[in-house]
Structure formats: structure tokens, C-alpha cells
Amino acid sequence: MKLTRFALLLFFISQATFAQKINKLIKESEVNRIISTLASDDMMGRDSRQPQQIEKATAFIANEFTKIGLKPLKGLNGFRQEFPVTKIEGFEKAEIIINGQVIPKDKFVLMSDNEEINWSSNIPVVIVGKDDNFSPNQYMKDSTNKIIAVDMAHASKFAGIQRFFNRTRILTSSSNKMAGNILFVLGINSVDSYAIKIKQRKEAFKMANVAGMIPGKSKADEIVVFSGHYDHLGFQKPVEGDSIANGADDDASGTTAMIALASYFKKLKNNERTLIFVAFTAEEIGGFGSRYFSQQLDADKVVAMFNIEMIGKASKWGINSAFITGFERSDFGQILQKNLQGTAFTFHPDPYPQQNLFYRSDNATLARLGVPAHTISTDQIDSDKLYHSVNDEVESLDMQNIVATIRAIALSSRTIVAGTDTPTRIDKSTVK
Ligand SMILES: [Zn+2]
């Protein structure tokens, strides 16, 4: 971008005025209050699969939106954007007798979305011998019921599917249903008789994003999204007596940034475009929240998405710097860089391309629809020992880094919010 000296002067004056306002309106004490609440033990690690363990966080964020004075999204009465899911978690009953022998828990895996199976005859049997090729994935799409007897030689592959199917699984209305019921049994080489009664523990409940907006003054049809995910991993294996994964950096920090930006823009009252602020649920378990969100609006109207993930610790370049994932996919990053010229803060392209961070957060869901949707982060993901551990706590965070990054997002987003800059679209065909 070329500017005459006079235009450059005006640019820096307006930038300085903005920066002053930003420092006044985005305060460290507020940031501290919000993130300390979200990452407190009281919030139980915000596990989206356990409604009673995330509810407090949902209510807290909704209450922040009320205090700020955001408006609910169109069609909603409040800030909760709820959607139904079904959870499959363990067995109510599992009696498996094959060739007269009781099969213990660690020797079978059920691949099924159904509640109950009851087999005593006419079920096809597949024998996978020690020299046969065993590829469990091929059965995911199989629509017939089967008993698959797997030789001990395949024990490690068997353990892999066991790990996957023994986890709590979430089904949504848009998730691919497994067509058949497949029972894998390890360590047998023939099936002469069987009596199989299984009842999976299934529970229907609602997950909730928390979303609010500030209508645009003159370009209300053009939407800018600010987001972070508020769910985390809940209870984990205890380490030195601590079992709560507080997710202070991941992603209470991004959620806090989103709330602080909502408060800032509400007080500023001059956004020409409509701003949507959203705390996504279920990012950690497959991005169900952002998927539902993306289906409730017209992605063509979303001109940019600022997704914020893990800004709690200084980046590899030190404080006053952050990176943007998928930098080369649109000119979003260049616009932000331009708007920070002359300040101490710099944005960089993602320095960890091998980590695939562009695909590891909620931005990817909107990018698939063509939205210039990027994640802003400062995490040194290649060496962050606290990532996804019970030690990701508020005490480990650098509050100044968080505040500086939020202020930089406020300053660098101003021309997009004002409708004078529009990032180029992401080419959908290049997003997996
Ligand atoms: Zn995260």
C-alpha cells in the first residue's frame, strides 16, 4: 500500500487516537477477572460432553453478554445457541458369550450407534487370522451386522479401535451414522455359538454455543465474527492430586479476548458492519459447536472471522507479537499488519505449518465455506508442555501478553469493522 506523506500522517494520528481509546476500554483488571473465572476449578474443566460440567461457563458467558448489552442473534431469545446431541458412553449391560465362554471387557469392541443389540443366531461371522490383513476402518461404512473374530496377532490394532470406541462419543443430526453393528472379539479363531446382549448407555441433551451481536450501522448485512472456544477437557487423570484440566490458555484466553472485544466494540458504538461474538462449544471433541453455528447463517455474508486460540503466553518472537494461521490463504493477515504499522505489535504467518493449526480450530469450519476465517494465537505449540494437561492454569499465563494481543486485535480489525477493508475470500476448493 502506498500513502502520501500527508495520508500517512493522518493514518498515524487516527491510529494513535484509536490506540488511546483501546487502552482505556480494554483493561487488564477485566481480562484478569474473566479469565480467572473461566479457568477456575469451579468451572470443572468445561467438558462439553458433560452438560453439568460446562453449564456454569455457559451461564457466565451469557451473563457477560447481558452486562455488555449485546443483542441475541436473529431468531433467538437469549445468547444460548443450543443444538441437540446424543451421547454414547459405556454400557448399561454387556453380556457376551461365545463358544460357551464369557468374553471379558478388554477383549471386545462394539462399533455401533444403536442402543441395544441382542444376537443369538444368523449374524455373519468374519474370521481374521494372524496372516490376514486387518483394517478396522473398512467396517465403518458396512451396513450389515457382523461378528469379527480377530487373532491375537492383531492385538495392537485392536487396542487402537478399543481406545476410540471406549471414549464418550457424540452424535449430532449431521454426523455420519454408522450403518451396521460390528462386534470385534480378540483372541478367538472360530465362532460356533453365541449369545450376545449389549445395551449402550445413551443420553440425549443439548449443547450450547454462546453468541451475541452488535448490529452494524450502515452495512448490517456484512458480518464480522470474533470467536473462541469455551469448552475444554474436563476431568483428567490426576497429576499430584489435580484432576481438573482448567484450560486457562486453551481456550479461556481466546474466550476472554472475545468477551473483552465485545465490550470494547459495544462502548465504541461505531461499527458499520454487524459484529457477532461467539464462544463455541465442543471444539475439543470435533468442532460440533462451530459446525452448528456455520449452518445458522449465510457464510457468504461473513466478511471475516477472528478466531482466537491460546494467547496466554508470549510467542516465539516475544511479547507484542502473534501469528495468524492460514496467512497465505487470504489477505486478512496483511490488512491486520497494515493496521498495526508504527505500533510495537506485529502479526506473523503461522511458524508451525507442520502442526496443521489452520485445521485444528473452529476457523476451518467457516473457511470451508469460503470465509476469510483465521486463528490468531501466540502459543509455542511445538514446545508447550502445559498444552492439554492439568497444568494449563491461570498462574502459568502472562496477563500482559493477553492484554497486548487483545488490544492488537482491536486496533488491527478496525478497518474491517468499519467496512473500509474487506479481506479476500478463501478458496473453498483448497480447504480439506
Ligand atoms: Zn483450543
Side-chain angles (χ1 to χ4, degrees):
M1 188 188 63
K2 253 189 181 154
L3 287 174
T4 63
R5 210 172 284 178
F6 180 65
L8 202 62
L9 184 69
L10 281 184
F11 175 81
F12 283 132
I13 289 172
S14 90
Q15 191 185 51
T17 323
F18 256 94
Q20 274 175 359
K21 273 191 196 152
I22 288 170
N23 293 349
K24 229 172 38 195
L25 296 177
I26 299 175
K27 290 205 193 79
E28 183 172 329
S29 56
E30 265 297 275
V31 167
N32 207 329
R33 174 186 68 83
I34 298 167
I35 196 164
S36 302
T37 308
L38 283 171
S40 66
D41 282 355
D42 206 34
M43 295 279 169
M44 293 174 280
R46 312 184 304 275
D47 186 342
S48 64
R49 297 164 302 180
Q50 312 296 343
Q52 65 288 2
Q53 290 170 26
I54 194 167
E55 168 53 32
K56 262 192 184 164
T58 315
F60 172 75
I61 299 164
N63 188 47
E64 291 297 307
F65 282 5
T66 303
K67 286 196 300 188
I68 291 166
L70 297 186
K71 287 206 159 75
L73 300 192
K74 268 186 205 117
L76 294 179
N77 295 321
F79 298 119
R80 286 165 192 258
Q81 186 183 50
E82 294 183 328
F83 54 98
V85 298
T86 302
K87 170 165 78 170
I88 298 182
E89 192 172 49
F91 302 104
E92 266 169 35
K93 178 173 74 181
E95 295 166 19
I96 298 170
I97 298 167
I98 294 182
N99 305 336
Q101 301 287 316
V102 174
I103 305 293
K105 253 206 160 125
D106 59 329
K107 292 287 189 291
F108 74 86
V109 179
L110 178 67
M111 201 186 256
S112 167
D113 288 348
N114 296 317
E115 201 157 347
E116 231 174 327
I117 66 171
N118 217 329
W119 294 343
S120 54
S121 62
N122 295 326
I123 303 296
V125 174
V126 177
I127 307 287
V128 182
K130 75 175 184 340
D131 297 324
D132 294 335
N133 177 34
F134 176 42
S135 66
N137 286 344
Q138 77 180 85
Y139 301 107
M140 298 284 279
K141 290 184 201 102
D142 202 322
S143 62
T144 49
N145 296 334
K146 269 188 199 64
I147 299 170
I148 301 182
V150 182
D151 188 274
M152 264 308 195
H154 303 292
S156 73
K157 231 178 220 177
F158 180 88
I161 51 170
Q162 197 165 41
R163 265 195 305 278
F164 184 81
F165 280 93
N166 285 1
R167 269 203 300 252
T168 302
R169 288 188 296 125
I170 296 290
L171 310 175
T172 68
S173 55
S174 60
S175 49
N176 293 328
K177 277 231 165 187
M178 268 177 289
N181 307 295
I182 314 280
L183 181 71
F184 297 92
V185 185
L186 182 68
I188 56 168
N189 294 298
S190 67
V191 176
D192 304 319
S193 67
Y194 54 87
I196 295 163
K197 288 181 187 157
I198 303 179
K199 189 165 190 212
Q200 302 202 89
R201 194 171 291 120
K202 244 179 161 181
E203 186 193 337
F205 67 99
K206 281 186 173 134
M207 285 187 172
N209 296 322
V210 189
M213 66 160 206
I214 309 173
K217 280 168 37 184
S218 62
K219 298 183 169 184
D221 256 6
E222 299 176 11
I223 298 165
V224 181
V225 175
F226 294 89
S227 60
H229 71 89
Y230 77 103
D231 70 304
H232 195 58
L233 304 172
F235 290 90
Q236 300 283 302
K237 272 201 193 100
V239 178
E240 290 167 19
D242 183 6
S243 62
I244 302 175
N246 301 82
D249 201 355
D250 184 13
D251 188 26
S253 71
T255 304
T256 299
M258 179 277 293
I259 296 171
L261 289 163
S263 167
Y264 163 74
F265 284 115
K266 185 67 176 64
K267 286 180 185 142
L268 217 56
K269 278 199 300 216
N270 64 359
N271 52 295
E272 301 296 338
R273 285 179 165 144
T274 292
L275 310 182
I276 291 183
F277 301 90
V278 55
F280 292 122
T281 190
E283 188 273 350
E284 298 285 3
I285 57 163
F288 299 112
S290 53
R291 203 171 320 150
Y292 182 78
F293 173 84
S294 73
Q295 291 159 351
Q296 307 311 306
L297 45 62
D298 179 357
D300 292 342
K301 292 185 175 163
V302 181
V303 299
M305 178 193 204
F306 293 76
N307 186 54
I308 308 157
E309 266 264 25
M310 303 188 73
I311 56 166
K313 305 187 281 283
S315 82
K316 61 180 282 185
W317 307 279
I319 196 166
N320 287 327
S321 64
F323 63 85
I324 298 172
T325 67
F327 192 93
E328 67 294 340
R329 290 172 178 272
S330 79
D331 66 0
F332 172 92
Q334 290 168 40
I335 293 170
L336 271 56
Q337 286 178 328
K338 174 199 75 178
N339 287 339
L340 290 183
Q341 271 171 28
T343 75
F345 201 102
T346 47
F347 278 120
H348 303 259
D350 173 7
Y352 312 106
Q354 66 289 353
Q355 293 270 357
N356 273 319
L357 296 177
F358 181 74
Y359 289 106
R360 282 170 58 187
S361 193
D362 292 308
N363 63 289
T365 303
L366 279 94
R368 277 184 200 102
L369 303 171
V371 177
H374 301 265
T375 290
I376 294 171
S377 176
T378 65
D379 189 42
Q380 299 189 42
I381 189 80
D382 59 342
S383 59
D384 185 349
K385 298 249 172 357
L386 308 182
Y387 174 66
H388 281 193
S389 85
V390 295
N391 295 322
D392 179 5
E393 315 231 24
V394 160
E395 291 71 24
S396 67
L397 303 186
D398 176 346
M399 241 12 108
Q400 282 181 0
N401 188 74
I402 301 175
V403 174
T405 307
I406 299 172
R407 287 174 175 168
I409 295 170
L411 186 62
S412 62
S413 64
R414 70 183 186 281
T415 56
I416 297 175
V417 168
T420 56
D421 274 323
T422 304
T424 51
R425 307 294 291 174
I426 283 182
D427 178 357
K428 295 180 218 188
S429 70
T430 65
V431 186
K432 286 181 282 184

